[in-house]
Amino acid sequence: SYERGEVSSQLDEALQNLRELKKQNENLRELIKAERLERAEQERQAVKRKENRISDEDHAAIKEKKKVLDVEPVKKDLYSLEHEVARRLLENRIWEVYYYLHKRLLELPVSDAKVGNHTEEQLLSLLATASNFSEVEGAAEWRKKSLQAITDSIQEKIHRMQNPDNCRAAKALICNLDKECGFGCQLHHVAYCFVTAFGSGRMLVLNRDGSAWRYSRKGWVGAFLPVTACKYDDVVGSDVPGPYSLVSQARVVQLGIVDGLANKPAFLPLSIPKPLSEQLLKLHSNPPAYFISQ
């Protein structure tokens, strides 16, 4: 009986301690809450005082900065390759129908002019809808930024390849600027040289830096920027450039005209780099034209 009474007394004491501890915890939470509210109010007042000191120009700058930070980044893959190819195909097919019917509608008698005009207006509306379809969900901006990223990557690689740390050690391809043809043909020849150099992992160097060019007494730089920071003499030195071939191990090779190549490289137009092919097919209606324009 004594033991039961002692246990009961201990339980009562424990319960009392728990009640007191609970009350202390509640008081502590109230104190913390009050302190947080006070601190928040102090910070709010400090911000308000600081804002009062900010000029209108500062407000505009902050607003503009917030606007920039709030811009949602363009999604890397907004649409699939299949989606984009199908969308462009649909628009092209509508254009084909329009061209066909436009010609036929012109052949209608004057009495059917109203029908012809209405049909053409409907087709034009359909074309506008197809064109607008290419811009939904920010697709136009997505394509623009994605293509710009590819351009930046290609340009960076070209710059690195065309401006090596050591001109004398770099593998180079020498291109003779004065091909026996007209101005446009010569520029096509330089583009061919550039693509061949790029595909071969070589720096493009114009023969004698393009100083002898019938279209300018100042040579290539009379009309265009230099293709490389390296000079012909620094690159070639006393070496004799060997003939270009896909398997040539020579550091410096000379490229002939494309007409004389027995085995044309697979990377010549209309080819595009395989690592970029899926993205370019997705983002551009004419990947070879896009790539060669880089």
Side-chain angles (χ1 to χ4, degrees):
S1 174
Y2 173 77
E3 290 179 356
R4 283 200 298 271
E6 185 177 1
V7 170
S8 178
S9 176
Q10 289 175 347
L11 286 173
D12 290 339
E13 184 179 354
L15 289 172
Q16 181 63 27
N17 289 336
L18 286 173
R19 283 192 288 269
E20 290 179 359
L21 183 60
K22 181 180 179 181
K23 186 176 181 180
Q24 290 174 359
N25 286 337
E26 289 174 352
N27 291 337
L28 183 59
R29 279 197 295 268
E30 290 297 323
L31 286 172
I32 293 173
K33 183 179 179 180
E35 184 179 349
R36 285 177 176 173
L37 289 173
E38 182 179 359
R39 187 180 302 170
E41 179 62 18
Q42 290 174 351
E43 290 177 353
R44 190 181 69 81
Q45 292 295 333
V47 170
K48 188 175 181 180
R49 288 193 297 271
K50 185 177 180 180
E51 286 180 344
N52 290 335
R53 295 195 300 269
I54 297 177
S55 65
D56 292 338
E57 292 182 357
D58 292 331
H59 274 298
I62 291 172
K63 186 176 180 180
E64 185 64 25
K65 184 177 181 180
K66 186 176 186 299
K67 182 179 178 182
V68 171
L69 293 175
D70 287 344
V71 173
E72 184 178 351
V74 175
K75 297 178 182 178
K76 185 177 181 181
D77 287 309
L78 186 60
Y79 294 121
S80 67
L81 170 62
E82 293 76 14
H83 177 281
E84 288 296 276
V85 171
R87 179 190 60 77
R88 290 197 298 265
L89 180 62
L90 174 62
E91 187 171 355
N92 289 338
R93 292 290 168 80
I94 297 173
W95 272 110
E96 289 176 8
V97 171
Y98 171 78
Y99 290 135
Y100 174 78
L101 290 180
H102 177 71
K103 182 178 183 301
R104 294 301 182 186
L105 291 173
L106 291 175
E107 299 171 356
L108 290 176
V110 178
S111 58
D112 293 331
K114 186 175 181 180
V115 175
N117 290 337
H118 180 71
T119 302
E120 190 156 343
E121 287 174 1
Q122 290 297 312
L123 285 170
L124 290 172
S125 176
L126 185 59
L127 282 168
T129 302
S131 178
N132 292 336
F133 184 53
S134 67
E135 300 180 5
V136 296
E137 296 183 317
E141 188 67 13
W142 164 66
R143 290 187 204 93
K144 179 181 177 181
K145 290 193 174 183
S146 298
L147 285 171
Q148 185 60 53
I150 294 175
T151 291
D152 292 344
S153 175
I154 295 173
Q155 289 289 331
E156 192 275 332
K157 185 172 182 179
I158 291 174
H159 179 79
R160 189 171 65 248
M161 187 175 66
Q162 287 299 113
N163 298 279
D165 294 331
N166 187 340
C167 298
R168 190 71 181 87
K171 297 180 71 175
L173 181 145
I174 308 301
C175 178
N176 183 19
L177 180 58
D178 260 335
K179 182 182 178 182
E180 295 299 324
C181 58
F183 179 78
C185 172
Q186 288 191 355
L187 292 186
H188 285 157
H189 174 65
V190 174
Y192 148 67
C193 290
F194 224 134
V195 170
T196 304
F198 188 80
S200 304
R202 293 176 177 272
M203 169 179 56
L204 172 68
V205 179
L206 296 179
N207 190 34
R208 298 298 173 186
D209 300 317
S211 57
W213 190 29
R214 71 169 68 101
Y215 287 103
S216 174
R217 284 176 293 182
K218 296 181 180 179
W220 175 262
V221 295
F224 303 100
L225 292 173
V227 297
T228 175
C230 295
K231 298 297 183 183
Y232 175 87
D233 289 338
D234 295 334
V235 173
V236 178
S238 59
D239 294 345
V240 177
Y244 171 80
S245 74
L246 288 171
V247 295
S248 175
Q249 297 299 313
R251 187 183 67 83
V252 182
V253 295
Q254 179 97 30
L255 183 65
I257 61 175
V258 67
D259 314 65
L261 282 181
N263 298 310
K264 293 181 174 59
F267 47 70
L268 291 182
L270 300 168
S271 298
I272 57 175
K274 190 173 182 179
L276 301 176
S277 60
E278 183 172 342
Q279 284 296 308
L280 288 182
L281 288 168
K282 179 194 303 183
L283 298 166
H284 203 280
S285 60
N286 194 334
Y290 169 84
F291 177 70
I292 203 69
S293 69
Q294 303 305 307

